[in-house]
Amino acid sequence: MKSFLKDTLLFIAFLLTYFGLNYGINQYFIQLSSPQIEKRILIMGDSHIEASIDPTAFPSAISVAQSVEPYFISYWKLKSIMHKSKIDTLILGFSYNNLAESYDDVLHNLWCLEMFKRIYPIAELNTLKGLKIKWKEYGLRKFKNMCIAPRPNHVFYMGDFSGLDSTKNNLDAYLANVSRHFSKSDGTNFGVSSTSVEFLNKIVAFCQTNNIKLILVGTPLHEKYRENIPSNFEESYAELINTFQKKGVTIYNYSEAVFTDTDFFDVDHLNIKGAKQFTASLIRNNF
Amino acid sequence: MLFNSLEFALFLPIVFALYWFVCNKNLQLQNTFLLVVSYFFYGWWDWRFLSLIIFSSFVDFFVGKQLGKEEEEGKRKIYLWISILINLGFLGFFKYFNFFAQSFADAFTLFGMPFEANRLNIILPVGISFYTFQTLSYTIDVYKKQLKPCNDIIVFFAFVSFFPQLVAGPIERATNLLPQFFKKRAFDYLKAKDGLRQILWGLFKKVVVADNCARIVDVIFSDPNAYGGSTLFIGALLFTFQIYCDFSGYSDIAIGTARLFGFNLMQNFAFPYFSRDIAEFWRRWHISLSTWFRDYLYIPLGGSRGGTAMKIRNTFAIFLVSGFWHGANWTFIFWGALNAFYFLPLLLTNRNRNNIGVVAEERLLPSLRDGINMFATFILAVLAWVFFRSDNLTLAFEYIGGIFSVSLFSVPTILPFLTLALIAFLCLIEWLGRAQQHALEVFLLKWPRLLRWTFYLFLILTVVQLGQKEQSFIYFQF
């Protein structure tokens, strides 16, 4: 038994050395490859922003927006980006769905594997209180990406502007889009996510500390979508606008701006034609 | 609890440590401990079905004791039938009720008397086909006086539920496994190390090869009409390796795990895809089930003695029952019948035992003749697996028809290079180890330790990196 244990422990030490070496190398690569942005304006948010604001229309802007991005990930991203970047303006998505509790589930539902792939180099999961997290899947993803082999690229959390096809129009399935954001599987409505509000406050504080002008932008929504947003949610949204405005945050709410059906990809995303138009309008009126 | 899960990776070392360091002084304590952890292992899936195993164990323990005491043949037969009816009754209810109900309804409908079959929402208890056959073998052996009845209830219950092989075999014979519970088990360094190697190879087969094949197989078999012959052939080929690596991978992990605890389980797969004819294939595929049917069905029916008609009847009986054992679907029955058709010419011409030993023994490569025979046998197996995998017979025939079309010679629309490379690697290692109990038994043993460990590290890395989400084993459904 002694020989067996000795051999087994030696082999485990051999494995741990290999994994540890890779971890160290990859940690170095993470630091080396943390994003350095040479633009003045940073555009962040979820798919609403990703599809709606074209950074090339600005004199100096970059979009890192990604679909299904809750504020806690935006906050981690922002911190990571600011290590090596000098940004003076942050445009952050501020639609109704950004505040919904549905985003609290992304580390537990079908999105979790995609989320873990993005966030493992920047995640501070211990700061998330009360959220359900698939720890096993997260651990496995991090282990695979950090311990198996050296990987020069670990940055999967930087999105981009993605103009959506203007020849397709998916307005009929509007109820599915609304319920995805605001309805639980049992038919009741999601409330406002305290985690999202908490991390939005953290972003506000971070921007104030780092002298970044924060602009919250509510992107255009089709009336079919707007009309079906639960009323309690609209009230909470309005209250939050007041609260953040009092804190000195600039908010441009375009959710009720008039866009035609041909400007939408679906009821809550502009297509590329709508995005160009919206970006131009945003710049014309506010920059 | 799946062998390829994190839970099992924690469970195994804890149980190993407690077994050898806490319970090692007392055999009774070791056996009790094995029983408890086996129930825990099984209950991890669904604790409600533990009651079935416990009940089956009680029945066979009681019947075994009665058979030991009773001398009168008539009463002994009654006890035997009690065990058979209860065990097969459970199996029949949980596994075959809906099949029979639907088949009767279909038959009546066919004759113009349509009626709706009452289907029940039955969950198939994991491993029921395996432990049922294991307990039945005990009762039959005791009845035949080939085995003394077990008087230690803990040992008997541990024998029925021994966790490494409880869920998907090997289906152990009481004559092999039961006596091992009565012997004091001393830790064997070489055996344990070999067990770990076998576990590693089993994990590679299951997690890397089988699960990667499964992703592609599922796509192709879900809509076979969408693909040309060459892609359908790729699908059938990948399923051939999926089913082998899934099931033999499980057996490797089971046997390796049992070795860590000082037990020897029977070899369940002996490199069947290197067989030179179908008879050899069936001596090398799912050996514990094949020999079970041979000993408890084929031989009692008369085996290969008697006239041609009897040989044909017995051959069909064993293959059809074997097919039906795999599942309540006509596809499995047809798969069994097809194998009987493959096998019969060999039996009737007395060539079914032509290829007994290891192919190309002590040579690196097979002779041309062996190579051609291996290839032909393999292709027959590939075609038969199409029936095993298809949802129904119509789809299976369409699939086979699709393969044998002009498009067989076109470039496949799905050509998974990585999976095919993994299969090539698997075949190479298995070929080199084909004379052993498992592929890694002596492989690289003479190499310097660092190189050998690097190879094991490579296997572990592929398991972690190429492994899919924890997938259940195919044979759990049987």
Side-chain angles (χ1 to χ4, degrees), chain B residues 216 220 230-231 234 238 410-420:
Chain B
I216 302 151
I220 297 175
S230 53
T231 309
I234 294 270
L238 294 188
S410 61
V411 178
T413 47
I414 298 177
L415 197 53
F417 287 109
L418 177 64
T419 309
L420 293 171

Side-chain angles (χ1 to χ4, degrees), chain A residues 174 221-229 255 257 259 261 264 267:
Chain A
Y174 62 95
L221 299 168
H222 195 277
E223 60 180 346
K224 281 182 177 172
Y225 180 92
R226 272 199 330 267
E227 282 165 5
N228 285 286
I229 294 171
S255 59
F259 279 79
D261 284 2
F264 284 96
V267 286

Side-chain angles (χ1 to χ4, degrees), chain A residues 21 29 72 87 89 118 132 160-161 169 215 219 229 250:
Chain A
L21 265 174
F29 277 137
F72 57 82
I87 305 292
T89 306
R118 292 181 194 171
K132 281 199 260 179
D160 200 352
F161 167 65
N169 185 290
I215 302 170
T219 53
I229 294 171
T250 309

Side-chain angles (χ1 to χ4, degrees), chain A residues 4 7 15 18 136 144, chain B residues 7 189 449 457 464 467 470:
Chain A
F4 178 78
D7 280 3
L15 284 183
Y18 177 85
K136 198 167 91 176
K144 276 186 177 185
Chain B
E7 289 84 359
Y189 169 71
R449 175 182 276 187
L457 174 67
V464 176
E470 284 167 19

